[in-house]
Amino acid sequence: MGSLDEKVAIVTGAGQGVGQGIALALASEGATVAVLGRTVAKLDATCELIAERGGKAEAFGCDVGDLEAIPGLVEQIAGRFGGIDILVNNAYSGKYGPLLSMSDADFQKGFRSGPFAAFAFMKACHPHMKARGGGSIINLVTSAMVRWDPATYGAYAAAKQALRSLTRTAAGEWGPDGIRANSIAPHALSPGLKRWAEADPEAAEEFRRTIPLGYIGDCEQDIGQAVVSLVQPGLRYLTGATVPLDGGQAFFG
C-alpha cells in the first residue's frame, strides 16, 4: 500500500529530468500519473519505468503553450481516471539572454508556457479537486528569482516570479475548497544541467561549491520525494509557500 493510493496526478514536462523524477516518485507511492509532454517517445519511456515498478501511468501528448487545448485535456484525464487530486506544473519553454537581446516574442514565450499554462491547468483542475474534497497543486519556480547575479536570467525569473505570485493567490482563494498550492524551487541534475557540467567541469565544480549540502540534487530522490511529502496529509497545513529544494544555496528570506 502506498501513501498516495487512489490519487490521480497530472505532471507536465514529465518525459525527462525533474518532471520524470516527480512522476516516478508519485507513482512509486501509488498515485496514477498522467504523464504530459511534447515528445511522446519520452513520455512512453517514463511510463515504462513506472510500469516496471508496478505503478500506473499513461502518456498524454501536450504542448503547454497551446493554452486553448488545456481545458479539454484536463477533462479527458479526469474522465479517464475518475478525477484529479494532484497537479504539478513543471513544463517550461522560454528564452535566456540579456534583456536588450530579447525580442518581445521571446520574452512572452516563457510567460505562455509558464504562468499562463499553469493558470489554465489550475483553473481546469479546480472543479475536479473540489469535487473530491480537495487537492494539491505544486508549481515549479526557480532560485533565479533571487539570484545574486540576475544577468541573462531576466525573462526566466520574471515568468517564474509571476507563477510564484499566482500560486500564493490560488492558495488564498482556494483554501476553503480544500485545495493547497505551493511552489518549489529545485536544483537537480536534469539532462540539460548534466550536459553543461560535462562540457564545463570547472564551472560545474565552482557551482557545486556554492551548495552547502555539497551536491546537485537527484531528480527523483531529492525533488520527486519532496513533492510526495508536500502533497501528503502530513503537510496539510502548508499552503502558499515557496520551498527551496537546492541544498541551501539560495536565500528566499
Side-chain angles (χ1 to χ4, degrees):
M1 296 291 289
S3 62
L4 298 177
D5 284 350
E6 309 301 325
K7 301 297 185 182
V8 177
I10 293 175
V11 183
T12 70
Q16 63 182 3
V18 171
Q20 183 183 75
I22 292 171
L24 290 170
L26 291 171
S28 293
E29 284 297 326
T32 298
V33 184
V35 177
L36 276 58
R38 291 182 295 185
T39 306
V40 174
K42 292 181 178 180
L43 303 180
D44 288 340
T46 298
C47 290
E48 288 173 11
L49 290 171
I50 289 171
E52 288 171 3
R53 303 179 181 192
K56 297 173 288 184
E58 191 168 320
F60 295 83
C62 168
D63 180 352
V64 299
D66 184 2
L67 304 179
E68 293 73 19
I70 290 172
L73 177 59
V74 170
E75 292 304 311
Q76 179 186 352
I77 294 168
R80 175 75 177 85
F81 299 122
I84 297 167
D85 303 283
I86 299 162
L87 169 65
V88 180
N89 283 304
N90 165 68
Y92 175 83
S93 178
K95 298 291 184 178
Y96 302 86
L99 293 178
L100 291 178
S101 73
M102 192 79 55
S103 70
D104 289 350
D106 285 345
F107 188 82
Q108 293 164 12
K109 183 179 181 182
F111 277 82
R112 189 170 183 85
S113 67
F116 290 2
F119 181 52
F121 273 106
M122 291 162 67
K123 280 205 306 180
C125 288
H126 176 275
H128 299 289
M129 291 181 172
K130 184 178 179 180
R132 286 162 78 91
S136 185
I137 297 166
I138 304 292
N139 290 329
L140 273 75
V141 294
T142 176
S143 59
M145 300 182 306
V146 295
R147 187 178 170 84
W148 61 93
D149 177 11
T152 77
Y153 290 97
Y156 177 52
K160 292 297 189 175
Q161 279 283 23
L163 181 55
R164 185 186 186 192
S165 180
L166 171 65
T167 307
R168 175 68 182 167
T169 302
E173 293 185 357
W174 298 353
D177 299 323
I179 298 171
R180 297 188 295 118
N182 292 292
S183 301
I184 62 171
H187 273 332
L189 202 57
S190 63
L193 186 56
K194 188 175 182 180
R195 285 193 297 270
W196 169 75
E198 291 172 350
D200 193 345
E202 289 186 7
E205 175 58 19
E206 184 179 348
F207 176 79
R208 185 196 64 75
R209 286 198 295 266
T210 68
I211 301 172
L213 289 183
Y215 72 99
I216 298 171
D218 178 81
C219 291
E220 180 181 356
Q221 295 303 315
D222 293 307
I223 310 306
Q225 289 298 332
V227 170
V228 167
S229 297
L230 286 169
V231 303
Q232 292 192 46
L235 287 178
R236 67 181 188 175
Y237 206 48
L238 180 69
T239 193
T242 298
V243 180
L245 298 174
D246 62 357
Q249 185 194 54
F251 178 64
F252 279 83

